[in-house]
Amino acid sequence: MALRFELLGGTKAPRRGLLFLERSGQPVTRVETPTFLKYTRRGLQPHLVPEMAAEVEGLPALTRVQLEDFLDGDEGGLERFGTGLRSLTSMNESELVVLDVLDPIWKQRTSKLTDKHISIPSDGGMRRLTPETFSRTVQALKPDIVVPPADYIAEPPVAGDKRAEKSVRRTALWLDKSVGHAAAILAPVMGARSTEQREAWAYMLAERDDICGYALNDTGLQLGLDTTLALAQHSLGLLDASKLRYMVGASAPDAALRAVLSGVDLVDSSYAFAVTEQGFASAYKLHGDDHGVAHVDLWNASMADDFRPLVEGCACFACRRHHRAYVHHLLGAHEMLATVLLQTHNLHCYQRFFADMRASIAAGSLAADAARFAARYTGAFDELSTLATQPFSPSSKTSLRRHDDPQSIASR
């Protein structure tokens, strides 16, 4: 296996690139960046069987899976299966698979950490993840890229310099032990609030020749996007600018746009799933006029006799074949088809957004386009207040909201 990342037009942000994966006996996988990793649960895209996923044109051949989905008490079953995640989930052989540890939708929620393991809640109860377990699972799942376990700091309380120093030391230890597999490595970017520790971590990474890029994940600090991006830019300024950059926690369109302007190449796509779970149809655009409407609420009673497409002018599978009144009915009846249609539409809108970003970078107009976008959709992508306004999740039929704290959900 050979993974290669090439920048088009230099390292200055915002930037375009091409990610290539070459495997023996398989066609070369080619992915344009900036783009997103398709969000999955247990290796499968939520609400979409492969035939429906194929109806969403232009999706990148890039899938994100999280290790916690497979820590259910029978890790040995994966090893006995033997042929890897693509075969297990009937995934296309050309797909480029990225394995991280935790689901990006939820807040940081690891429990006790030591130099030897992380404790992670799973469907099988609390599981201890050691670097050795991680390496064995990687060998069983056979991803192309991995983000090794890291001691990400979760606040509150606010972590001091000593905690940041311990986080860096511990993650370096785990990084050294989380090897022995064929996957390329995206090294976690550590240091939390401490610029001193971020610099120490960057100098340590500069001495390594076994990493293909960097993973930025400071969601546990709950600092807000401005401060998070400022810290990310400080670290990225110290690291090899030619390597791939992946950011967790920037999946909302406004956040993804600002991350790309800061030089990020990849984000996760959990936002599209969160919109679907709340019964919304995405309507935002980077290019063109949509009167500033970011989402259409299909739960709204006014949709009962609205026979327009989910979003007028949209060419996705759902909008070509169905109308708002039908999806409103499906939501009210808690029919699974509601989320199938919404997910195809929301992913179509999301991939179009990234295609428009790449076109704007090529034209040298992304900064101006981003300013217009921000003015048009001020406050529209606040997931905590906008997307969690409905009392039901149409797929689970339970009165929980996507962005509730996981601990409060577990206690219900």
Side-chain angles (χ1 to χ4, degrees):
M1 183 194 80
L3 186 75
R4 187 172 81 256
F5 179 56
E6 296 180 2
L7 286 169
L8 306 174
T11 61
K12 184 179 178 181
R15 57 200 216 161
R16 289 189 305 143
L18 293 172
L19 184 60
F20 297 94
L21 176 66
E22 300 175 3
R23 284 195 298 265
S24 178
Q26 296 293 332
V28 175
T29 299
R30 178 180 178 273
V31 178
E32 296 181 81
T33 65
T35 191
F36 59 92
L37 283 66
K38 295 193 290 286
Y39 175 72
T40 66
R41 291 280 178 89
R42 290 187 175 271
L44 301 171
Q45 292 190 68
H47 309 306
L48 297 181
V49 295
E51 292 78 8
M52 285 303 302
E55 294 289 343
V56 187
E57 296 181 1
L59 287 180
L62 196 59
T63 292
R64 182 197 197 280
V65 296
Q66 44 270 355
L67 185 61
E68 66 169 302
D69 287 346
F70 301 94
L71 296 178
D72 56 3
D74 188 22
E75 291 80 15
L78 294 172
E79 297 177 27
R80 292 191 297 273
F81 186 75
T83 55
L85 187 64
R86 289 184 186 83
S87 177
L88 181 67
T89 61
S90 300
M91 194 181 295
N92 193 303
E93 287 297 323
S94 65
E95 198 75 10
L96 199 161
V97 180
V98 179
L99 177 71
D100 205 341
V101 175
L102 296 176
D103 189 326
I105 269 192
W106 302 112
K107 297 176 184 178
Q108 176 71 24
R109 64 203 184 287
T110 54
S111 184
K112 183 179 179 181
L113 298 93
T114 72
D115 287 351
K116 295 183 178 180
H117 72 266
I118 308 173
S119 296
I120 300 176
S122 74
D123 290 345
M126 192 67 71
R127 299 296 177 192
R128 289 185 175 183
L129 176 65
T130 66
E132 294 78 14
T133 302
F134 176 80
S135 293
R136 288 198 305 271
T137 307
V138 169
Q139 292 179 43
L141 292 175
K142 296 178 172 56
D144 304 297
I145 303 175
V146 298
V147 182
D151 183 5
Y152 296 118
I153 294 176
E155 297 179 349
V158 174
D161 289 342
K162 288 186 177 180
R163 176 66 182 92
E165 182 180 0
K166 179 184 287 187
S167 167
V168 165
R169 177 190 60 78
R170 183 175 283 162
T171 304
L173 179 66
W174 290 342
L175 184 57
D176 288 335
K177 292 183 177 181
S178 299
V179 293
H181 51 73
I185 296 173
L186 288 176
V189 174
M190 307 304 294
R193 298 171 180 263
S194 170
T195 55
E196 179 182 350
Q197 291 304 318
R198 284 181 174 270
E199 290 166 5
W201 180 255
Y203 297 145
M204 187 276 292
L205 289 184
E207 298 176 354
R208 303 186 71 106
D209 59 1
D210 58 349
I211 60 176
C212 72
Y214 311 108
L216 300 148
N217 186 350
D218 290 308
T219 55
L221 298 178
Q222 303 182 51
L223 293 173
L225 187 59
D226 290 342
T227 305
T228 299
L229 287 176
L231 289 172
Q233 286 180 303
H234 179 75
S235 289
L236 292 176
L238 303 168
L239 297 167
D240 186 346
S242 67
K243 294 186 182 295
L244 192 63
R245 300 165 173 179
Y246 165 49
M247 188 171 194
V248 177
S251 69
D254 58 340
L257 188 52
R258 292 184 58 189
V260 168
L261 283 168
S262 299
V264 170
D265 305 304
L266 302 174
V267 300
D268 67 81
S269 62
S270 54
Y271 179 83
F273 172 65
V275 174
T276 294
E277 286 289 277
Q278 295 302 324
F280 287 79
S282 298
Y284 55 86
K285 294 179 181 178
L286 183 61
H287 298 157
D289 181 20
D290 55 10
H291 310 292
V293 177
H295 306 97
V296 177
D297 181 0
L298 275 305
W299 281 103
N300 193 294
S302 66
M303 299 294 158
D305 57 357
D306 190 333
F307 298 100
R308 292 176 291 173
L310 306 188
V311 173
E312 293 185 280
C314 178
C316 78
F317 175 91
C319 289
R320 293 197 312 268
R321 291 168 170 80
H322 303 289
H323 46 66
R324 297 176 179 183
Y326 180 54
V327 176
H328 174 79
H329 159 72
L330 294 174
L331 288 170
H334 298 295
E335 288 286 350
M336 292 173 60
L337 183 56
T339 49
V340 172
L341 295 175
L342 284 172
Q343 188 71 352
T344 59
H345 169 81
N346 290 326
L347 277 176
H348 171 87
C349 185
Y350 203 68
Q351 70 81 19
R352 180 192 62 198
F353 179 71
F354 276 84
D356 287 347
M357 271 201 281
R358 293 191 294 271
S360 290
I361 295 173
S365 63
L366 185 61
D369 291 341
R372 286 192 293 270
F373 186 86
R376 186 187 304 164
Y377 299 114
T378 302
F381 301 105
D382 184 352
E383 295 180 71
L384 292 176
S385 60
T386 303
L387 299 183
T389 58
Q390 301 301 331
F392 299 106
S393 170
S395 62
S396 65
K397 304 185 184 180
T398 57
S399 301
L400 61 86
R401 298 178 179 180
R402 290 304 319 160
H403 301 283
D404 277 348
D405 183 85
Q407 298 304 319
S408 65
I409 290 173
S411 65
R412 293 182 182 181

